[in-house]
């Protein structure tokens, strides 16, 4: 029977990488004034994956605490959203399904539309739960953002995964209708199949993003959405945190609202803390903004928040969610802060070596050095197959040391 209950995000958990590169190290290397990074783009550091981490290990690490808390009996669908896919055919979520021991009576699929993919996953999940409210859908957004070394995009790299359990009567956020939608065929950012690093036209991408903000808002209001001043806060896709400031200023401006510093800070000030130190996590970024907001804000119970999800190419969506009273009891604030604090600083040379690493495509046996102290690792690529490992319970962190 279709659901009349509210549907939305019941639990949310994120994971990020083993290593972190402070922007001061990048600035020392390329002679950029640090103000450009800290103020100009609003980034302090970027998460850097270890040689044995990828979108699967990050996604599994994000989702494991959700499965531990709620069990897996009700999960019949896993939707894995990414734009840094590891296989042209097999969904990365199938590896996660296996690593987490999810029931075989499940469907698993991968979704792609640049950074927008996780919002498509969330909306599809809501549709599935609406059809059968006894089911829950595990949505995983996981990405490693990689640009060419010494390119303007390099400072906006990062990596993280957000896992969300979507269900009826959610504990965190009720997702509402309508959505404002916008699609435009633009070449602002893309990654052809033969490339590992993305191609980008930086200024074009900023313009395309701002057009999408306007386009989604127009559709949202025409469909009877909330008024701008009803929202307690706005979670934007944050390729770099300054982009959220540009986007929110643009939205307020186009609606004839005050764009003073305080007004902008009120709308987005508490959404940028995690993205500023993690960097661009593509599909995960807008939900990392939500995590930062929920983890930091005074009680938002009953208050609507706006979401602007943008994926280059481009597809965007503006939608609203109402924070569920009592949500604070269900947050994972300490674990989120620990995921960021536990990262080990890597120097510029170490980062560059990791950036340049690749698995040869010759079908041989290529083990990955054991570097991560996280719960899952990519042990090797052997015979063109990715081999993953789970850390046995109780194994000490020191057994995975940096080579
Ligand atoms: N102190 C303070 N600020 C400084 C400064 C200093 N010393 N030096 C420069 N700045 C400021 C500049 O004034 C500028 O600010 P404004 O944009 O507000 O004018 C800012 O720092 C950046 O300077 P530049 O524009 O000169 O920087 P750049 O040419 O090196 O490129 C970039 C910046 C285009 C964002 C580049 O990093 C890039 O291409 N990034 C990847 C693409 C991207 O993230 N696009 C975002 C929209 S697309 C999207 O959202 C999808 C996605 O995830 C990719």
């Amino acid at each position: 029977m279709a659901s009349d209950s509210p549907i939305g995000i019941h639990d949310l958990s994120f994971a990020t990488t083993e290593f972190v590169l402070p922007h001061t190290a990048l600035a020392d290397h390329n002679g950029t004034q640090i103000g450009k990074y800290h103020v100009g783009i609003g980034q302090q550091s970027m998460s850097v994956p270890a040689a044995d981490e990828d979108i699967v290990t990050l996604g599994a690490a994000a989702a494991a605490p959700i499965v531990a808390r709620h069990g897996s009996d009700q999960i019949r669908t896993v939707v894995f959203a990414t734009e840094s896919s590891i296989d042209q055919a097999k969904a990365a979520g199938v590896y996660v399904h296996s690593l987490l021991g999810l029931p075989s009576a499940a469907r698993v699929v991968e979704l792609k539309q640049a950074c927008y993919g996780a919002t498509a996953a969330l909306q599809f999940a809501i549709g599935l739960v609406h059809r059968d409210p006894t089911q829950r859908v595990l949505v995983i957004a996981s990405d490693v953002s990689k640009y060419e070394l010494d390119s303007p995009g390099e400072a906006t790299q990062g990596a993280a995964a957000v896992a969300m359990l979507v269900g009826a009567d959610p504990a965190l956020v009720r997702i509402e209708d309508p959505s404002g939608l916008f699609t435009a065929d633009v070449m602002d950012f893309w990654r052809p199949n033969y490339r590992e690093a993305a191609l980008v036209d930086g200024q074009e991408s900023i313009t395309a993003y701002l057009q999408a903000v306007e386009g989604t808002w127009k559709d949202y209001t025409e469909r009877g959405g909330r008024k701008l001043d009803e929202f307690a806060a706005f979670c934007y896709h944050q390729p770099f945190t300054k982009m959220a400031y540009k986007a929110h200023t643009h939205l307020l401006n186009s609606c004839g609202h005050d764009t003073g510093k305080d007004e902008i800070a009120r709308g987005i000030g508490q959404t940028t803390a995690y993205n500023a130190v993690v960097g661009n996590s593509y599909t995960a970024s807008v939900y990392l903004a939500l995590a930062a907001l929920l983890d930091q804000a005074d009680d938002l119970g009953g208050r609507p928040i706006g979401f602007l999800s943008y994926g280059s190419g481009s597809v965007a969506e503006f939608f609203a969610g109402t924070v569920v009273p009592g949500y604070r009891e269900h947050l994972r604030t300490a674990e989120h802060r620990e995921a960021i604090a536990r990262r080990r600083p890597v120097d510029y040379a170490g980062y560059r070596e990791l950036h340049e690493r690749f698995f040869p495509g010759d079908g041989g046996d290529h083990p990955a050095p054991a570097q991560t102290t996280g719960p899952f690792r990519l042990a090797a690529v052997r015979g063109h197959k990715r081999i993953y490992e789970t850390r046995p319970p109780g194994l000490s962190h020191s057994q995975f040391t940096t080579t």
Side-chain angles (χ1 to χ4, degrees), residues 32-37 39-41 83 114-115 147 151-156 188-189 200-207 209 237-240 242-243 246 280 282 310-312:
T32 298
Q33 283 187 353
I34 194 61
K36 174 170 174 179
Y37 294 154
V39 182
I41 60 170
E83 66 181 284
C115 307
Y147 294 94
S151 72
E154 185 179 17
T156 64
D188 59 330
F189 167 106
V200 64
D201 180 339
Q203 296 311 326
E204 167 75 13
S205 72
I206 293 171
T207 306
Y209 185 131
H237 167 56
Q238 294 174 17
F240 49 95
K242 183 78 173 286
M243 189 67 226
K246 287 178 189 288
N280 196 352
Y282 292 160
Y310 175 75
S312 289

Side-chain angles (χ1 to χ4, degrees), residues 93-339:
V94 176
Y95 295 108
V96 175
H97 174 275
S98 164
L99 287 168
L100 299 183
L102 299 181
S104 58
R107 60 169 80 83
V108 181
V109 70
E110 186 167 310
L111 277 189
K112 178 183 70 183
Q113 177 20 62
C115 307
Y116 168 72
T119 298
L122 175 62
Q123 295 294 359
F124 296 168
I126 288 168
L128 286 170
V129 174
H130 189 70
R131 202 167 73 167
D132 177 3
T134 65
Q135 292 188 25
R136 285 172 171 173
V137 178
L138 182 60
V139 169
I140 301 172
S142 183
D143 267 304
V144 173
S145 159
K146 205 167 173 182
Y147 294 94
E148 296 282 3
L149 290 167
D150 302 317
S151 72
E154 185 179 17
T156 64
Q157 295 173 123
V162 170
M164 295 181 280
L165 192 64
V166 177
D169 295 316
L172 298 182
V173 181
R174 298 175 185 139
I175 303 297
E176 301 173 356
D177 276 338
S179 278
L181 303 175
F182 183 80
T183 289
D185 183 4
V186 284
M187 293 305 284
D188 59 330
F189 167 106
W190 67 108
R191 185 170 70 86
N193 283 348
Y194 49 82
R195 285 183 63 95
E196 203 176 322
L199 293 163
V200 64
D201 180 339
Q203 296 311 326
E204 167 75 13
S205 72
I206 293 171
T207 306
Y209 185 131
L210 296 179
Q211 276 171 358
V213 169
E214 244 177 282
T216 53
W217 180 257
K218 181 172 178 289
D219 189 46
Y220 179 72
T221 48
E222 283 172 4
R223 286 169 183 275
R226 291 177 179 273
K227 301 277 172 284
L228 205 54
D229 48 20
E230 289 179 52
F231 292 99
F234 296 80
C235 296
Y236 286 89
H237 167 56
Q238 294 174 17
F240 49 95
T241 62
K242 183 78 173 286
M243 189 67 226
Y245 285 85
K246 287 178 189 288
H248 197 49
T249 305
H250 191 76
L251 178 62
L252 294 180
N253 224 346
S254 65
C255 296
H257 278 236
D258 169 25
T259 55
K261 244 180 153 180
D262 291 349
E263 185 56 21
I264 302 288
R266 191 190 67 76
I268 61 171
Q270 288 178 310
T271 68
T272 58
Y274 294 154
N275 283 295
V277 293
V278 163
N280 196 352
S281 56
Y282 292 160
T283 52
S285 159
V286 60
Y287 300 102
L288 216 55
L290 172 63
L293 176 67
L294 296 182
D295 285 348
Q296 291 181 103
D298 291 339
D299 194 355
L300 286 170
R303 308 284 309 277
I305 50 183
F307 294 82
L308 186 285
S309 178
Y310 175 75
S312 289
S314 70
V315 177
E317 180 163 346
F318 185 96
F319 61 100
T322 297
V323 182
V324 179
Y327 71 100
R328 288 170 124 182
E329 287 163 36
H330 307 279
L331 295 178
R332 300 175 179 276
T333 310
E335 292 89 334
H336 290 164
R337 290 182 178 156
E338 172 60 14

